[in-house]
Structures are given as C-alpha cells and as structure tokens.
Amino acid sequence: TPRWRIEITAQLVREPARKVLAVRTFRAEARAARNAMPEIVTAADSAWRGVARRIVDWTADKLSVAR
C-alpha cells in the first residue's frame, strides 16, 4: 500500500539580526489503509498533521526559553 514520508527542517531565526536560535528536522510517516485515493489522502493528511503538531510544540517551547 502507498505511504507518505514527510521531512521538514525548521529554523527559528531572530530578526533583524538573522540569528539562528534553533534548528530541527521533523519527520512523519503514514501508510494508506489501501491503494485508493481517499485512503491515500487520509494518510497524507495524517503525516502532515503529525509534523505540523510537533513543529508548533517545538516552536512554542523554544520561544518560551528564548525570551
């Protein structure tokens, strides 16, 4: 069955100095329940949501420490 693998590298940058505060790579994988478009789209959505959730949590954590 098809599967999605998503990898995003995020950077937190302090402007205007462009100082990189933190860098992290986020990965997620989701396998479709079967080889049909609705299930493939559901798997893609699941993988993207997993990465996005972790990026938001990481960003909030890093910004609370950086203050």
Side-chain angles (χ1 to χ4, degrees):
T1 59
R3 70 177 162 182
W4 281 87
R5 281 188 229 166
I6 297 175
E7 180 175 301
I8 298 173
T9 299
Q11 290 186 345
L12 292 178
V13 180
R14 175 163 285 153
E15 295 291 349
R18 296 184 184 234
K19 179 183 178 191
V20 175
L21 303 176
V23 178
R24 182 169 168 193
T25 300
F26 299 87
R27 295 176 184 89
E29 187 171 311
R31 186 176 299 273
R34 60 189 184 97
N35 192 10
M37 192 55 67
E39 285 79 4
I40 294 168
V41 171
T42 298
D45 185 57
S46 175
W48 278 109
R49 286 178 187 262
V51 167
R53 186 178 319 109
R54 289 195 297 277
I55 290 172
V56 168
D57 291 345
W58 172 77
T59 302
D61 181 59
K62 292 296 179 188
L63 291 178
S64 70
V65 172
R67 290 186 175 186

Short mmCIF file of all heavy atoms in Angstrom, two decimals:
data_model
loop_
_atom_site.label_atom_id
_atom_site.label_comp_id
_atom_site.label_asym_id
_atom_site.label_seq_id
_atom_site.Cartn_x
_atom_site.Cartn_y
_atom_site.Cartn_z
N THR A 1 0.84 -1.19 0.00
CA THR A 1 0.00 0.00 0.00
C THR A 1 0.88 1.25 0.00
O THR A 1 1.99 1.23 0.52
CB THR A 1 -0.94 0.03 1.23
OG1 THR A 1 -0.15 -0.01 2.40
CG2 THR A 1 -1.91 -1.11 1.21
N PRO A 2 0.37 2.33 -0.53
CA PRO A 2 1.14 3.57 -0.57
C PRO A 2 1.39 4.12 0.84
O PRO A 2 0.63 3.87 1.77
CB PRO A 2 0.24 4.53 -1.35
CG PRO A 2 -0.71 3.68 -2.09
CD PRO A 2 -0.89 2.45 -1.25
N ARG A 3 2.48 4.86 0.95
CA ARG A 3 2.74 5.54 2.22
C ARG A 3 3.36 6.89 1.94
O ARG A 3 3.97 7.12 0.91
CB ARG A 3 3.63 4.71 3.12
CG ARG A 3 5.04 4.60 2.68
CD ARG A 3 5.85 3.82 3.68
NE ARG A 3 7.05 3.39 3.02
CZ ARG A 3 7.96 2.65 3.56
NH1 ARG A 3 7.80 2.23 4.79
NH2 ARG A 3 9.03 2.32 2.90
N TRP A 4 3.19 7.76 2.89
CA TRP A 4 3.72 9.11 2.83
C TRP A 4 4.87 9.22 3.82
O TRP A 4 4.76 8.79 4.96
CB TRP A 4 2.65 10.13 3.23
CG TRP A 4 1.69 10.42 2.14
CD1 TRP A 4 0.55 9.72 1.86
CD2 TRP A 4 1.78 11.45 1.18
NE1 TRP A 4 -0.08 10.27 0.78
CE2 TRP A 4 0.66 11.34 0.35
CE3 TRP A 4 2.69 12.47 0.95
CZ2 TRP A 4 0.43 12.22 -0.70
CZ3 TRP A 4 2.45 13.34 -0.09
CH2 TRP A 4 1.33 13.20 -0.90
N ARG A 5 5.94 9.83 3.38
CA ARG A 5 7.03 10.21 4.27
C ARG A 5 7.25 11.70 4.10
O ARG A 5 7.45 12.17 2.99
CB ARG A 5 8.32 9.48 3.91
CG ARG A 5 8.37 8.09 4.40
CD ARG A 5 9.73 7.51 4.18
NE ARG A 5 9.51 6.23 3.55
CZ ARG A 5 10.42 5.52 2.96
NH1 ARG A 5 11.65 5.96 2.87
NH2 ARG A 5 10.13 4.36 2.44
N ILE A 6 7.22 12.40 5.21
CA ILE A 6 7.38 13.85 5.17
C ILE A 6 8.54 14.22 6.07
O ILE A 6 8.65 13.71 7.20
CB ILE A 6 6.08 14.54 5.64
CG1 ILE A 6 4.97 14.20 4.64
CG2 ILE A 6 6.28 16.04 5.76
CD1 ILE A 6 3.63 14.68 5.00
N GLU A 7 9.39 15.10 5.57
CA GLU A 7 10.53 15.58 6.35
C GLU A 7 10.63 17.08 6.12
O GLU A 7 10.69 17.54 4.98
CB GLU A 7 11.81 14.89 5.90
CG GLU A 7 13.03 15.35 6.67
CD GLU A 7 14.27 14.57 6.30
OE1 GLU A 7 14.28 13.34 6.47
OE2 GLU A 7 15.23 15.21 5.83
N ILE A 8 10.64 17.83 7.21
CA ILE A 8 10.74 19.28 7.16
C ILE A 8 11.80 19.71 8.15
O ILE A 8 11.78 19.30 9.32
CB ILE A 8 9.40 19.96 7.52
CG1 ILE A 8 8.33 19.58 6.51
CG2 ILE A 8 9.57 21.47 7.59
CD1 ILE A 8 6.95 20.07 6.87
N THR A 9 12.71 20.56 7.70
CA THR A 9 13.69 21.15 8.61
C THR A 9 13.24 22.58 8.89
O THR A 9 13.04 23.37 7.96
CB THR A 9 15.10 21.13 8.00
OG1 THR A 9 15.46 19.76 7.77
CG2 THR A 9 16.12 21.76 8.94
N ALA A 10 13.07 22.87 10.17
CA ALA A 10 12.61 24.19 10.59
C ALA A 10 13.73 24.93 11.30
O ALA A 10 14.54 24.32 12.01
CB ALA A 10 11.41 24.04 11.53
N GLN A 11 13.76 26.24 11.10
CA GLN A 11 14.70 27.10 11.79
C GLN A 11 13.93 28.21 12.48
O GLN A 11 13.02 28.79 11.89
CB GLN A 11 15.68 27.78 10.82
CG GLN A 11 16.68 26.90 10.18
CD GLN A 11 17.67 27.71 9.35
OE1 GLN A 11 17.44 28.87 9.03
NE2 GLN A 11 18.77 27.09 9.00
N LEU A 12 14.35 28.52 13.69
CA LEU A 12 13.84 29.71 14.37
C LEU A 12 14.93 30.76 14.22
O LEU A 12 16.07 30.54 14.63
CB LEU A 12 13.57 29.44 15.84
CG LEU A 12 12.42 28.49 16.13
CD1 LEU A 12 12.29 28.27 17.63
CD2 LEU A 12 11.13 29.05 15.58
N VAL A 13 14.56 31.89 13.64
CA VAL A 13 15.54 32.94 13.35
C VAL A 13 15.09 34.23 14.00
O VAL A 13 13.94 34.67 13.83
CB VAL A 13 15.67 33.13 11.82
CG1 VAL A 13 16.69 34.22 11.51
CG2 VAL A 13 16.05 31.82 11.14
N ARG A 14 16.01 34.86 14.75
CA ARG A 14 15.72 36.15 15.37
C ARG A 14 16.04 37.25 14.37
O ARG A 14 17.15 37.33 13.86
CB ARG A 14 16.54 36.35 16.64
CG ARG A 14 16.32 37.75 17.23
CD ARG A 14 16.75 37.87 18.64
NE ARG A 14 15.72 37.19 19.45
CZ ARG A 14 15.97 36.64 20.62
NH1 ARG A 14 17.17 36.67 21.13
NH2 ARG A 14 15.01 36.05 21.29
N GLU A 15 15.05 38.04 14.07
CA GLU A 15 15.22 39.17 13.16
C GLU A 15 15.41 40.45 13.97
O GLU A 15 14.99 40.51 15.11
CB GLU A 15 13.99 39.30 12.26
CG GLU A 15 13.79 38.14 11.32
CD GLU A 15 14.85 38.05 10.22
OE1 GLU A 15 15.63 39.01 10.06
OE2 GLU A 15 14.90 37.02 9.56
N PRO A 16 16.03 41.49 13.50
CA PRO A 16 16.59 41.62 12.17
C PRO A 16 18.03 41.10 12.07
O PRO A 16 18.62 41.11 11.00
CB PRO A 16 16.55 43.12 11.92
CG PRO A 16 16.74 43.72 13.27
CD PRO A 16 16.05 42.75 14.23
N ALA A 17 18.58 40.60 13.16
CA ALA A 17 19.97 40.14 13.16
C ALA A 17 20.16 38.83 12.40
O ALA A 17 21.28 38.44 12.10
CB ALA A 17 20.48 39.98 14.59
N ARG A 18 19.06 38.14 12.11
CA ARG A 18 19.09 36.84 11.43
C ARG A 18 19.89 35.79 12.20
O ARG A 18 20.54 34.94 11.62
CB ARG A 18 19.61 36.98 10.01
CG ARG A 18 18.72 37.82 9.15
CD ARG A 18 19.21 37.88 7.74
NE ARG A 18 18.38 38.77 6.99
CZ ARG A 18 17.78 38.44 5.86
NH1 ARG A 18 17.92 37.24 5.37
NH2 ARG A 18 17.05 39.31 5.23
N LYS A 19 19.81 35.88 13.51
CA LYS A 19 20.50 34.90 14.36
C LYS A 19 19.64 33.63 14.45
O LYS A 19 18.48 33.69 14.84
CB LYS A 19 20.71 35.47 15.75
CG LYS A 19 21.39 34.50 16.68
CD LYS A 19 21.54 35.04 18.08
CE LYS A 19 22.18 33.98 18.94
NZ LYS A 19 22.13 34.33 20.35
N VAL A 20 20.25 32.50 14.11
CA VAL A 20 19.54 31.23 14.19
C VAL A 20 19.50 30.79 15.65
O VAL A 20 20.54 30.60 16.28
CB VAL A 20 20.21 30.16 13.31
CG1 VAL A 20 19.52 28.81 13.49
CG2 VAL A 20 20.19 30.58 11.84
N LEU A 21 18.30 30.66 16.18
CA LEU A 21 18.12 30.27 17.58
C LEU A 21 18.06 28.76 17.75
O LEU A 21 18.50 28.23 18.77
CB LEU A 21 16.83 30.89 18.14
CG LEU A 21 16.73 32.41 18.07
CD1 LEU A 21 15.36 32.85 18.57
CD2 LEU A 21 17.85 33.06 18.88
N ALA A 22 17.50 28.08 16.77
CA ALA A 22 17.36 26.62 16.86
C ALA A 22 17.05 26.06 15.48
O ALA A 22 16.45 26.73 14.65
CB ALA A 22 16.26 26.26 17.84
N VAL A 23 17.46 24.82 15.28
CA VAL A 23 17.18 24.10 14.03
C VAL A 23 16.80 22.67 14.40
O VAL A 23 17.42 22.07 15.28
CB VAL A 23 18.42 24.05 13.10
CG1 VAL A 23 18.12 23.25 11.85
CG2 VAL A 23 18.90 25.45 12.77
N ARG A 24 15.79 22.17 13.75
CA ARG A 24 15.39 20.78 13.99
C ARG A 24 14.69 20.20 12.76
O ARG A 24 13.97 20.91 12.07
CB ARG A 24 14.44 20.70 15.19
CG ARG A 24 14.04 19.28 15.52
CD ARG A 24 13.34 19.18 16.82
NE ARG A 24 12.74 17.86 16.95
CZ ARG A 24 11.85 17.55 17.86
NH1 ARG A 24 11.45 18.43 18.74
NH2 ARG A 24 11.34 16.35 17.90
N THR A 25 14.91 18.93 12.52
CA THR A 25 14.25 18.23 11.43
C THR A 25 13.13 17.37 12.01
O THR A 25 13.33 16.65 12.98
CB THR A 25 15.24 17.36 10.65
OG1 THR A 25 16.26 18.21 10.11
CG2 THR A 25 14.56 16.62 9.51
N PHE A 26 11.97 17.50 11.39
CA PHE A 26 10.79 16.75 11.82
C PHE A 26 10.42 15.77 10.73
O PHE A 26 10.43 16.10 9.55
CB PHE A 26 9.62 17.71 12.06
CG PHE A 26 9.90 18.72 13.13
CD1 PHE A 26 10.54 19.90 12.83
CD2 PHE A 26 9.54 18.45 14.44
CE1 PHE A 26 10.82 20.83 13.82
CE2 PHE A 26 9.81 19.37 15.43
CZ PHE A 26 10.45 20.56 15.13
N ARG A 27 10.08 14.55 11.14
CA ARG A 27 9.71 13.51 10.19
C ARG A 27 8.42 12.82 10.64
O ARG A 27 8.18 12.66 11.83
CB ARG A 27 10.81 12.45 10.10
CG ARG A 27 12.09 12.95 9.55
CD ARG A 27 13.17 11.87 9.60
NE ARG A 27 14.45 12.39 9.17
CZ ARG A 27 15.34 12.97 9.97
NH1 ARG A 27 15.10 13.08 11.25
NH2 ARG A 27 16.47 13.42 9.48
N ALA A 28 7.66 12.40 9.66
CA ALA A 28 6.46 11.61 9.94
C ALA A 28 6.22 10.67 8.77
O ALA A 28 6.63 10.95 7.64
CB ALA A 28 5.25 12.50 10.16
N GLU A 29 5.58 9.58 9.07
CA GLU A 29 5.25 8.60 8.04
C GLU A 29 3.85 8.07 8.32
O GLU A 29 3.46 7.89 9.47
CB GLU A 29 6.26 7.45 8.09
CG GLU A 29 6.10 6.48 6.96
CD GLU A 29 7.25 5.48 6.91
OE1 GLU A 29 8.41 5.91 6.97
OE2 GLU A 29 6.94 4.28 6.84
N ALA A 30 3.11 7.85 7.26
CA ALA A 30 1.76 7.28 7.39
C ALA A 30 1.50 6.39 6.18
O ALA A 30 1.77 6.78 5.05
CB ALA A 30 0.71 8.37 7.49
N ARG A 31 0.98 5.23 6.44
CA ARG A 31 0.66 4.27 5.38
C ARG A 31 -0.85 4.31 5.12
O ARG A 31 -1.66 4.36 6.04
CB ARG A 31 1.07 2.87 5.81
CG ARG A 31 0.92 1.83 4.71
CD ARG A 31 1.42 0.47 5.14
NE ARG A 31 2.82 0.46 5.48
CZ ARG A 31 3.83 0.29 4.62
NH1 ARG A 31 3.57 0.13 3.35
NH2 ARG A 31 5.07 0.26 5.04
N ALA A 32 -1.20 4.31 3.86
CA ALA A 32 -2.61 4.28 3.48
C ALA A 32 -3.21 2.92 3.83
O ALA A 32 -2.53 1.89 3.74
CB ALA A 32 -2.77 4.53 1.98
N ALA A 33 -4.44 2.92 4.23
CA ALA A 33 -5.12 1.67 4.59
C ALA A 33 -5.25 0.74 3.38
O ALA A 33 -5.22 -0.48 3.52
CB ALA A 33 -6.50 1.97 5.18
N ARG A 34 -5.39 1.34 2.20
CA ARG A 34 -5.42 0.56 0.96
C ARG A 34 -5.07 1.48 -0.19
O ARG A 34 -4.98 2.70 -0.02
CB ARG A 34 -6.77 -0.13 0.75
CG ARG A 34 -7.94 0.76 0.64
CD ARG A 34 -9.26 -0.01 0.65
NE ARG A 34 -10.37 0.89 0.44
CZ ARG A 34 -10.94 1.12 -0.73
NH1 ARG A 34 -10.53 0.48 -1.81
NH2 ARG A 34 -11.93 1.97 -0.84
N ASN A 35 -4.87 0.93 -1.35
CA ASN A 35 -4.44 1.68 -2.52
C ASN A 35 -5.64 2.31 -3.23
O ASN A 35 -6.01 1.91 -4.33
CB ASN A 35 -3.64 0.78 -3.46
CG ASN A 35 -2.94 1.58 -4.53
OD1 ASN A 35 -2.89 2.80 -4.48
ND2 ASN A 35 -2.42 0.89 -5.53
N ALA A 36 -6.24 3.28 -2.56
CA ALA A 36 -7.38 4.02 -3.11
C ALA A 36 -7.21 5.48 -2.72
O ALA A 36 -6.72 5.78 -1.62
CB ALA A 36 -8.69 3.46 -2.57
N MET A 37 -7.59 6.38 -3.60
CA MET A 37 -7.32 7.79 -3.40
C MET A 37 -7.81 8.34 -2.04
O MET A 37 -7.06 9.05 -1.38
CB MET A 37 -7.91 8.62 -4.55
CG MET A 37 -7.43 10.05 -4.54
SD MET A 37 -5.62 10.24 -4.54
CE MET A 37 -5.22 9.61 -6.15
N PRO A 38 -9.02 8.04 -1.59
CA PRO A 38 -9.43 8.59 -0.29
C PRO A 38 -8.51 8.16 0.86
O PRO A 38 -8.18 8.97 1.73
CB PRO A 38 -10.85 8.03 -0.09
CG PRO A 38 -11.34 7.77 -1.47
CD PRO A 38 -10.13 7.32 -2.24
N GLU A 39 -8.06 6.91 0.85
CA GLU A 39 -7.18 6.43 1.91
C GLU A 39 -5.77 7.02 1.77
O GLU A 39 -5.10 7.29 2.76
CB GLU A 39 -7.11 4.90 1.91
CG GLU A 39 -8.36 4.24 2.47
CD GLU A 39 -9.53 4.19 1.49
OE1 GLU A 39 -9.38 4.60 0.33
OE2 GLU A 39 -10.61 3.75 1.91
N ILE A 40 -5.34 7.24 0.54
CA ILE A 40 -4.02 7.87 0.32
C ILE A 40 -4.04 9.31 0.81
O ILE A 40 -3.11 9.76 1.47
CB ILE A 40 -3.63 7.78 -1.17
CG1 ILE A 40 -3.41 6.31 -1.57
CG2 ILE A 40 -2.40 8.62 -1.47
CD1 ILE A 40 -3.30 6.08 -3.06
N VAL A 41 -5.12 10.02 0.53
CA VAL A 41 -5.25 11.40 1.01
C VAL A 41 -5.31 11.45 2.53
O VAL A 41 -4.70 12.30 3.17
CB VAL A 41 -6.48 12.08 0.37
CG1 VAL A 41 -6.77 13.42 1.02
CG2 VAL A 41 -6.27 12.24 -1.13
N THR A 42 -6.02 10.51 3.13
CA THR A 42 -6.10 10.43 4.59
C THR A 42 -4.72 10.20 5.19
O THR A 42 -4.36 10.81 6.20
CB THR A 42 -7.08 9.32 5.03
OG1 THR A 42 -8.38 9.65 4.54
CG2 THR A 42 -7.13 9.18 6.53
N ALA A 43 -3.94 9.34 4.59
CA ALA A 43 -2.57 9.08 5.08
C ALA A 43 -1.71 10.33 4.95
O ALA A 43 -0.95 10.66 5.87
CB ALA A 43 -1.95 7.92 4.31
N ALA A 44 -1.83 11.04 3.85
CA ALA A 44 -1.06 12.28 3.67
C ALA A 44 -1.44 13.30 4.74
O ALA A 44 -0.58 13.93 5.35
CB ALA A 44 -1.31 12.87 2.28
N ASP A 45 -2.72 13.44 4.97
CA ASP A 45 -3.20 14.37 5.99
C ASP A 45 -2.66 13.99 7.36
O ASP A 45 -2.23 14.85 8.13
CB ASP A 45 -4.73 14.39 5.99
CG ASP A 45 -5.29 15.41 6.95
OD1 ASP A 45 -4.94 16.61 6.82
OD2 ASP A 45 -6.07 15.02 7.83
N SER A 46 -2.66 12.73 7.67
CA SER A 46 -2.16 12.26 8.96
C SER A 46 -0.67 12.57 9.13
O SER A 46 -0.25 13.06 10.18
CB SER A 46 -2.40 10.75 9.08
OG SER A 46 -1.82 10.25 10.25
N ALA A 47 0.11 12.33 8.09
CA ALA A 47 1.54 12.61 8.17
C ALA A 47 1.80 14.11 8.33
O ALA A 47 2.59 14.53 9.17
CB ALA A 47 2.25 12.07 6.93
N TRP A 48 1.12 14.93 7.53
CA TRP A 48 1.30 16.38 7.62
C TRP A 48 0.87 16.91 8.99
O TRP A 48 1.55 17.75 9.57
CB TRP A 48 0.50 17.09 6.54
CG TRP A 48 1.17 17.12 5.22
CD1 TRP A 48 0.83 16.42 4.11
CD2 TRP A 48 2.34 17.86 4.86
NE1 TRP A 48 1.72 16.68 3.09
CE2 TRP A 48 2.65 17.56 3.52
CE3 TRP A 48 3.17 18.74 5.55
CZ2 TRP A 48 3.73 18.12 2.86
CZ3 TRP A 48 4.26 19.30 4.89
CH2 TRP A 48 4.53 18.99 3.57
N ARG A 49 -0.24 16.44 9.49
CA ARG A 49 -0.70 16.90 10.81
C ARG A 49 0.29 16.52 11.91
O ARG A 49 0.53 17.28 12.83
CB ARG A 49 -2.08 16.34 11.13
CG ARG A 49 -3.18 17.01 10.36
CD ARG A 49 -4.53 16.37 10.69
NE ARG A 49 -5.56 16.89 9.84
CZ ARG A 49 -6.40 17.87 10.20
NH1 ARG A 49 -6.29 18.40 11.39
NH2 ARG A 49 -7.32 18.29 9.36
N GLY A 50 0.86 15.32 11.80
CA GLY A 50 1.83 14.90 12.80
C GLY A 50 3.05 15.80 12.81
O GLY A 50 3.52 16.22 13.89
N VAL A 51 3.57 16.12 11.63
CA VAL A 51 4.73 17.02 11.55
C VAL A 51 4.35 18.41 12.03
O VAL A 51 5.08 19.03 12.82
CB VAL A 51 5.27 17.07 10.10
CG1 VAL A 51 6.24 18.21 9.91
CG2 VAL A 51 5.95 15.76 9.75
N ALA A 52 3.23 18.93 11.59
CA ALA A 52 2.82 20.29 11.97
C ALA A 52 2.64 20.41 13.47
O ALA A 52 3.07 21.41 14.07
CB ALA A 52 1.53 20.66 11.24
N ARG A 53 2.04 19.41 14.09
CA ARG A 53 1.82 19.45 15.54
C ARG A 53 3.15 19.51 16.29
O ARG A 53 3.32 20.29 17.22
CB ARG A 53 1.02 18.21 15.97
CG ARG A 53 0.62 18.21 17.43
CD ARG A 53 -0.21 16.98 17.81
NE ARG A 53 -1.20 16.60 16.82
CZ ARG A 53 -1.12 15.51 16.04
NH1 ARG A 53 -0.11 14.68 16.13
NH2 ARG A 53 -2.06 15.24 15.16
N ARG A 54 4.12 18.71 15.85
CA ARG A 54 5.42 18.70 16.52
C ARG A 54 6.18 20.01 16.29
O ARG A 54 6.86 20.50 17.18
CB ARG A 54 6.23 17.50 16.08
CG ARG A 54 5.67 16.20 16.66
CD ARG A 54 6.62 15.04 16.57
NE ARG A 54 6.95 14.65 15.22
CZ ARG A 54 6.21 13.87 14.44
NH1 ARG A 54 5.08 13.38 14.89
NH2 ARG A 54 6.60 13.57 13.22
N ILE A 55 6.03 20.59 15.09
CA ILE A 55 6.69 21.88 14.83
C ILE A 55 6.11 22.97 15.72
O ILE A 55 6.84 23.77 16.31
CB ILE A 55 6.57 22.27 13.34
CG1 ILE A 55 7.44 21.35 12.49
CG2 ILE A 55 6.98 23.73 13.12
CD1 ILE A 55 7.25 21.53 11.00
N VAL A 56 4.80 23.01 15.85
CA VAL A 56 4.16 24.02 16.71
C VAL A 56 4.60 23.84 18.16
O VAL A 56 4.97 24.82 18.82
CB VAL A 56 2.62 23.94 16.58
CG1 VAL A 56 1.94 24.77 17.66
CG2 VAL A 56 2.18 24.40 15.20
N ASP A 57 4.60 22.62 18.66
CA ASP A 57 5.02 22.38 20.05
C ASP A 57 6.47 22.77 20.27
O ASP A 57 6.82 23.41 21.26
CB ASP A 57 4.81 20.91 20.43
CG ASP A 57 3.35 20.52 20.53
OD1 ASP A 57 2.48 21.43 20.58
OD2 ASP A 57 3.07 19.31 20.53
N TRP A 58 7.35 22.39 19.34
CA TRP A 58 8.77 22.72 19.44
C TRP A 58 8.98 24.22 19.40
O TRP A 58 9.74 24.78 20.19
CB TRP A 58 9.52 22.03 18.29
CG TRP A 58 10.95 22.42 18.15
CD1 TRP A 58 11.99 21.99 18.91
CD2 TRP A 58 11.51 23.28 17.16
NE1 TRP A 58 13.17 22.54 18.46
CE2 TRP A 58 12.89 23.34 17.38
CE3 TRP A 58 10.98 24.02 16.11
CZ2 TRP A 58 13.75 24.11 16.59
CZ3 TRP A 58 11.83 24.77 15.32
CH2 TRP A 58 13.18 24.80 15.57
N THR A 59 8.29 24.91 18.49
CA THR A 59 8.42 26.36 18.37
C THR A 59 7.99 27.05 19.65
O THR A 59 8.68 27.93 20.16
CB THR A 59 7.59 26.88 17.18
OG1 THR A 59 8.04 26.24 15.99
CG2 THR A 59 7.72 28.38 17.02
N ALA A 60 6.85 26.66 20.19
CA ALA A 60 6.37 27.27 21.44
C ALA A 60 7.36 27.05 22.57
O ALA A 60 7.65 27.96 23.34
CB ALA A 60 5.00 26.70 21.79
N ASP A 61 7.90 25.84 22.66
CA ASP A 61 8.88 25.53 23.70
C ASP A 61 10.14 26.38 23.54
O ASP A 61 10.62 26.98 24.50
CB ASP A 61 9.22 24.04 23.65
CG ASP A 61 10.22 23.66 24.72
OD1 ASP A 61 9.91 23.87 25.92
OD2 ASP A 61 11.32 23.17 24.37
N LYS A 62 10.68 26.45 22.33
CA LYS A 62 11.91 27.20 22.10
C LYS A 62 11.70 28.69 22.32
O LYS A 62 12.56 29.38 22.86
CB LYS A 62 12.43 26.97 20.67
CG LYS A 62 12.94 25.56 20.45
CD LYS A 62 14.13 25.30 21.33
CE LYS A 62 14.65 23.90 21.16
NZ LYS A 62 15.67 23.55 22.13
N LEU A 63 10.58 29.22 21.92
CA LEU A 63 10.31 30.65 22.10
C LEU A 63 10.12 31.01 23.57
O LEU A 63 10.51 32.08 24.01
CB LEU A 63 9.12 31.10 21.26
CG LEU A 63 9.35 31.10 19.76
CD1 LEU A 63 8.07 31.51 19.04
CD2 LEU A 63 10.51 31.99 19.37
N SER A 64 9.54 30.11 24.34
CA SER A 64 9.37 30.39 25.77
C SER A 64 10.71 30.42 26.49
O SER A 64 10.90 31.19 27.43
CB SER A 64 8.43 29.38 26.42
OG SER A 64 9.05 28.11 26.49
N VAL A 65 11.68 29.64 26.03
CA VAL A 65 13.03 29.62 26.63
C VAL A 65 13.85 30.80 26.13
O VAL A 65 14.66 31.35 26.87
CB VAL A 65 13.74 28.29 26.28
CG1 VAL A 65 15.19 28.31 26.70
CG2 VAL A 65 13.02 27.12 26.92
N ALA A 66 13.62 31.24 24.90
CA ALA A 66 14.44 32.28 24.28
C ALA A 66 14.14 33.69 24.81
O ALA A 66 14.89 34.61 24.60
CB ALA A 66 14.25 32.27 22.76
N ARG A 67 13.05 33.86 25.50
CA ARG A 67 12.67 35.20 25.98
C ARG A 67 13.58 35.71 27.04
O ARG A 67 14.23 35.26 27.79
CB ARG A 67 11.26 35.19 26.49
CG ARG A 67 10.30 35.04 25.34
CD ARG A 67 8.91 35.18 25.82
NE ARG A 67 8.05 35.13 24.65
CZ ARG A 67 6.78 35.33 24.70
NH1 ARG A 67 6.19 35.60 25.83
NH2 ARG A 67 6.05 35.29 23.62
#
